[in-house]
Amino acid sequence: MRRILVTGGLGQIGSELVPYLRDKYGYENVIVADIREPGEDVGPFVKLDVRREEDIIKVIRENDIDTIYHLAAILSARGEQNPQLAFDVNIRGLYAILEAGRKTGVERIMVPSSIAAFGPETPKNNTPNDTILKPRTMYGISKVTGELLGLYYWEKYGLDVRGVRYPGIISWKAPPGGGTTDYAVEMFYYALKGEKYTCFLREDAVLPMMYMPDAIKAITMLAEAPSENLIHRTDFNIQAMSFSPRELEEEIKKYVDFEVEYRPDYRQKIADSWPRSLDDSAARREWGWKPDYDLQAMVKDMIENLRRKLGV
Ligand code: NAD
Ligand code: SER
């Protein structure tokens, strides 16, 4: 049975990954770590700043950890408002996790990358897995660094680091943490509360997106994939759906009356540097990736769950 540490475990993805892992590997075997205190009982929890290698080593040893899902990060939009913090948490924090893992003999570390690893020179449609990586955000730079560091630790030390390049993740349980794709979650809340939404991206800004159940499926499938099948390791494209804010608005309007105004801000420039859709054939070939949700299925499920959650 695995002993798993999930850093940044109180965030958007951690809030749903942790229950999934606990069902699979046992409640007590999955420890949530975060720099903030939980607002409610989240089961086994440690307060941990991922920039502090000695503290990470202590947590790994005290809890007999063999697997880490390293989710602690500063996302793209927040990262452009404070690039120094993004560098510190995303690059120094990852280095501390890798070093702590190497020194304590951790077996596997899952490190999500992002579509932010790409940049303006990258082909925008059906973006190949292996292509130009020249991001212009500190977040994107940290993601390319993470992909390369992970590969380095695998080849040099045999530390099994793996990762997918997540697109924008849409979910209803926990709010997103400051990304360029957060509009796609915010739109649902405004629609269901009957409020007008002002979208910070252009109406035609198409980006790759994914519903949370597929995001959990992807990272856990890759974690359990036989090592000998993997040609890539830390940098898998995964595609589920691509849409613009206007297309999402139209789909939500099939369920509720809703008004959206488009007033792009600094986040539009970030979106402009990212792909519209991804070629995920490497993930399909090497570990059997296949998404379950398209735009229609995602919107239906989001509306049903948010109606229940918000009591509307
Ligand atoms: P999030 O912002 O919702 O959660 C990140 C968590 O990290 C927060 O709970 C925060 O308190 C914690 N944290 C921040 N600094 C920390 C520190 N110094 N030490 C410990 N914890 C710290 O992020 P998320 O959406 O859950 O993303 C998880 C991972 O997936 C990140 O690597 C992110 O880059 C990646 N990713 C997410 C998306 C998305 O759309 N959500 C898309 C692509 C990639
Ligand atoms: N959803 C993420 C962001 O917008 C992509 O990594 O930052």
Side-chain angles (χ1 to χ4, degrees):
M1 194 47 88
R2 293 194 174 278
R3 294 279 299 166
I4 301 173
L5 182 70
V6 182
T7 73
L10 297 179
Q12 186 193 10
I13 296 176
S15 299
E16 303 207 35
L17 178 64
V18 166
Y20 176 91
L21 293 173
R22 283 185 174 152
D23 275 353
K24 190 160 180 187
Y25 298 106
Y27 193 83
E28 297 297 326
N29 289 324
V30 181
I31 289 125
V32 178
D34 208 291
I35 198 167
R36 30 181 189 123
E37 296 280 356
E40 56 187 6
D41 182 13
V42 294
F45 172 82
V46 285
K47 193 164 177 194
L48 179 69
D49 183 340
V50 294
R51 293 167 291 186
R52 299 177 68 93
E53 187 189 313
E54 286 309 315
D55 292 352
I56 302 167
I57 289 176
K58 193 161 170 273
V59 167
I60 291 172
R61 293 212 165 112
E62 281 176 357
N63 295 283
D64 209 12
I65 297 296
D66 55 51
T67 304
I68 300 175
Y69 284 75
H70 178 53
L71 305 184
I74 305 298
L75 273 74
S76 60
R78 203 174 152 215
E80 284 316 282
Q81 289 177 321
N82 192 343
Q84 292 71 26
L85 178 67
F87 181 92
D88 214 31
V89 174
N90 298 4
I91 296 183
R92 283 194 228 279
L94 173 63
Y95 182 68
I97 286 282
L98 291 170
E99 277 295 281
R102 176 182 74 81
K103 288 175 185 169
T104 54
V106 162
E107 185 191 325
R108 180 163 305 148
I109 308 185
M110 301 304 295
V111 183
S113 185
S114 162
I115 52 168
F118 301 115
E121 291 85 3
T122 308
K124 287 226 174 292
N125 296 309
N126 206 27
T127 302
N129 208 99
D130 303 306
T131 185
I132 302 163
L133 299 176
K134 287 173 70 180
R136 302 296 203 281
T137 60
M138 185 58 88
Y139 176 69
I141 291 165
S142 77
K143 289 301 174 188
V144 175
T145 307
E147 291 181 4
L148 294 173
L149 277 176
L151 188 60
Y152 184 85
Y153 273 71
W154 164 243
E155 291 184 346
K156 189 156 180 90
Y157 300 115
L159 177 55
D160 191 354
V161 185
R162 304 179 182 189
V164 290
R165 289 175 178 146
Y166 275 139
I169 306 299
I170 298 161
S171 67
W172 56 271
K173 283 188 184 152
T180 304
T181 56
D182 292 10
Y183 88 83
V185 177
E186 291 170 6
M187 222 184 239
F188 285 94
Y189 281 86
Y190 281 76
L192 287 171
K193 285 194 230 153
E195 291 171 17
K196 178 180 164 183
Y197 180 63
T198 303
C199 183
F200 56 76
L201 294 187
R202 261 194 343 256
E203 63 185 273
D204 62 348
V206 173
L207 289 171
M209 298 279 185
M210 181 173 287
Y211 196 32
M212 185 63 88
D214 278 333
I216 302 300
K217 176 177 167 178
I219 197 169
T220 51
M221 270 185 86
L222 176 58
E224 294 303 330
S227 186
E228 61 275 17
N229 293 356
L230 302 182
I231 298 162
H232 299 80
R233 288 203 96 87
T234 55
D235 57 357
F236 284 101
N237 284 2
I238 46 170
Q239 171 75 18
M241 62 187 97
S242 290
F243 57 77
S244 67
R246 173 70 81 187
E247 285 166 325
L248 178 61
E249 178 194 342
E250 293 305 326
E251 194 58 33
I252 293 174
K253 277 181 172 162
K254 291 181 183 167
Y255 298 85
V256 276
D257 278 342
F258 183 38
E259 193 187 343
V260 182
E261 185 189 350
Y262 291 91
R263 252 196 259 152
D265 65 14
Y266 71 98
R267 288 168 278 195
Q268 183 59 51
K269 190 174 166 207
I270 302 176
D272 284 338
S273 73
W274 292 353
R276 292 194 193 94
S277 62
L278 307 168
D279 173 359
D280 60 4
S281 50
R284 288 174 184 262
R285 224 176 14 249
E286 293 175 38
W287 47 275
W289 165 244
K290 190 170 168 294
D292 293 324
Y293 288 85
D294 60 11
L295 172 62
Q296 289 71 27
M298 177 274 287
V299 170
K300 182 172 183 292
D301 203 67
M302 279 289 285
I303 298 271
E304 280 170 12
N305 281 298
L306 277 176
R307 274 196 171 132
R308 223 182 353 259
K309 180 179 169 183
L310 302 173
V312 290

